Amino acid sequence: MIVNIHDKYRLTHVINMRGVFTPLGVSRSSIGVSNAVAHALAEHFVIDELQQIASRKIAEFAGAEAATVTHCTASGVTLSVAAAMTGISPQRIAALPDSTGMQSRVVLPKSHSVNYGHPIEQAIRLAGATPVFAGAKDQCTVTELGQTVAHEDTCCLLLVSSRLVSGEPLDFASAVSLAHKKGIPVIIDGAAQDMRIKELLATNADIVLVSAQKYLAGPTAGLVLGSASLVAAVRAQEKGIGRGMKASKEAIIGALAACEERSAEDAPAWAEMQAQKLPGFIERANAFHGVNAFTVPDQTGLPFERVHLRIDPDTAKMTASQLVAALKEGTPSIWVMDQRAAEGEIAFELVQSTPDEIETVLERLSDLLSKQ
Ligand SMILES: *Cc1c(COP(=O)(O)O)cnc(C)c1O
């Protein structure tokens, strides 16, 4: 079926070694999740009833007090901020994004003001709120956060990301407790952190946001997890600015199916399966001229490692950036993590790849790196 779509519209065949990357369609769903989505598309439902069931089941899955589903995590950010401003007041919900007369400052560490496709500040401003930064671009301590958070703020937004956040990690539990002392709720954007939901909820954050389509491998959807009153206020935004950010029936059912599959999964066996992909890759990559291959654990604590290649341009006869471009230009087009290519290092995330794809990538590397 996938082959047909690519051929029918003459789309580029891609091997994704970049992780859960939105410009490449993020993740691959299982047959079970795909079937649930296909079934949902062909049926009618009472959407309120569906959202209620999803809320209950997803809250249970996450170990949260309450849950709801939005279009994606970016909309989850906007709607959680809106919820913190309006509560369930119909007048306030109708007024947004005009926030006149509402508390509307949203404090976030400057080091968390990332761009995941657009700047996160824009997701805040979309609700009519004003982002206020704490600390510096490469570092924000709990003390610096404390100096910025004030009683009249709406909420505090913190972010967890392997790739995007720079500097020393913030101690989330201390940050949350500090905000709570001033009566300010805390939202954590943990879009790719579905394997660490319980840990993030354990910081006592009021809302934790995760994407259903990242490692959870469901359809595009945002899971909003946390306090019953804020979750209800997020849901209430559907009659206001949330209309264009609502979850579709197929997204709700697909997200439910993905959570059910995750619950049934043997986590240690999954981690072991991921670990087994690494040694063969490392060994073969180390045999190429000018390549030093090694594994690096995920820095947020996700249970897998990535393969990094350091390229010595003199011996390899090409720079890391040239290798990235050559991998992308071939057929199939191979996309790798190139954030540090200018410094001579590229990375491969093997989580979503099949043995055939890994073989194709190693053969391509061999072709490109043996032409000397
Ligand atoms: C991917 C990502 C998002 C956006 O998630 P969507 O579900 O695509 O809207 C937001 N924040 C972070 C940290 C991300 O990694």
Side-chain angles (χ1 to χ4, degrees):
M1 180 179 156
I2 288 160
V3 171
N4 285 344
I5 290 173
H6 284 79
D7 292 347
K8 180 174 175 193
Y9 300 111
R10 298 174 194 274
L11 299 170
T12 306
H13 285 272
V14 175
I15 295 182
N16 175 19
M17 295 262 159
R18 265 199 85 123
V20 285
F21 187 51
T22 305
L24 291 181
V26 202
S27 62
R28 283 171 156 153
S29 296
S30 68
I31 301 285
V33 170
S34 308
N35 284 345
V37 168
H39 184 77
L41 280 169
E43 296 294 335
H44 289 286
F45 302 92
V46 177
I47 296 296
D48 269 335
E49 182 184 78
L50 181 58
Q51 269 281 15
Q52 264 172 37
I53 296 285
S55 296
R56 189 161 56 73
K57 295 227 169 229
I58 294 171
E60 260 170 43
F61 162 76
E65 192 189 356
T68 192
V69 187
T70 58
H71 176 70
C72 64
T73 292
S75 45
V77 171
T78 302
L79 297 180
S80 303
V81 165
M85 288 195 287
T86 64
I88 53 164
S89 155
Q91 291 78 17
R92 288 185 163 211
I93 289 167
L96 289 189
D98 180 349
S99 58
T100 311
M102 302 178 211
Q103 291 179 344
S104 62
R105 278 173 34 119
V106 175
V107 175
L108 71 158
K110 182 71 190 152
S111 52
H112 290 192
S113 98
V114 301
N115 186 317
Y116 50 75
H118 76 159
I120 195 164
E121 297 102 273
Q122 190 173 34
I124 296 169
R125 288 194 291 111
L126 207 45
T130 309
V132 176
F133 299 114
K137 183 77 208 142
D138 56 351
Q139 178 84 44
C140 174
T141 61
V142 173
T143 314
E144 284 168 320
L145 193 65
Q147 286 158 354
T148 312
V149 173
H151 287 283
E152 66 272 20
D153 291 334
T154 300
C155 63
C156 195
L157 177 67
L158 306 172
L159 195 112
V160 197
S161 165
S162 309
R163 292 178 297 112
L164 301 170
V165 170
S166 47
E168 281 293 297
L170 187 71
D171 175 356
F172 277 55
S174 312
V176 171
S177 119
L178 177 144
H180 284 176
K181 278 197 195 107
K182 302 200 183 188
I184 313 295
V186 177
I187 300 162
I188 297 182
D189 169 1
Q193 303 288 319
D194 50 85
M195 291 183 238
R196 296 179 57 228
I197 290 171
K198 293 201 164 79
E199 230 179 296
L200 296 179
L201 285 168
T203 63
N204 244 342
D206 300 86
I207 293 281
V208 171
L209 303 168
V210 301
S211 301
Q213 77 276 17
K214 291 193 169 173
Y215 294 104
L216 205 48
T220 295
L223 308 186
V224 179
L225 312 162
S227 96
S229 59
L230 265 179
V231 166
V234 166
R235 187 88 169 85
Q237 306 301 320
E238 236 170 66
K239 301 227 162 25
I241 61 166
R243 169 69 197 193
M245 307 181 197
K246 66 187 173 298
S248 62
K249 60 183 178 180
E250 66 275 17
I252 299 170
I253 287 177
L256 267 172
C259 291
E260 282 161 17
E261 284 194 4
R262 173 62 62 77
S263 298
E265 192 171 81
D266 177 345
W270 185 89
E272 180 53 30
M273 186 180 79
Q274 297 309 325
Q276 278 172 6
K277 295 178 180 174
L278 303 171
F281 197 106
I282 295 285
E283 193 186 320
R284 283 171 67 184
N286 266 328
F288 303 135
H289 291 288
V291 173
N292 176 21
F294 51 98
T295 59
V296 176
D298 176 78
Q299 69 189 55
T300 59
L302 298 177
F304 57 84
E305 300 192 297
R306 299 185 179 88
V307 173
H308 284 230
L309 303 190
R310 263 214 146 266
I311 311 294
D312 169 13
D314 295 333
T315 322
K317 302 279 190 285
M318 62 164 67
T319 64
S321 302
Q322 286 167 335
L323 181 58
V324 168
L327 286 168
K328 212 180 264 183
E329 273 160 23
T331 304
S333 176
I334 298 168
W335 292 56
V336 302
M337 301 178 124
D338 60 359
Q339 290 87 342
R340 302 198 52 221
E343 292 104 78
E345 196 166 315
I346 61 175
F348 296 72
E349 184 175 308
L350 307 184
V351 172
Q352 303 193 58
S353 47
T354 63
D356 282 354
E357 287 178 333
I358 293 175
E359 186 56 35
T360 303
V361 169
L362 285 162
E363 281 169 14
R364 183 81 63 76
L365 283 171
S366 167
D367 286 348
L368 292 168
L369 291 165
S370 58
K371 284 185 193 135
Q372 16 216 319

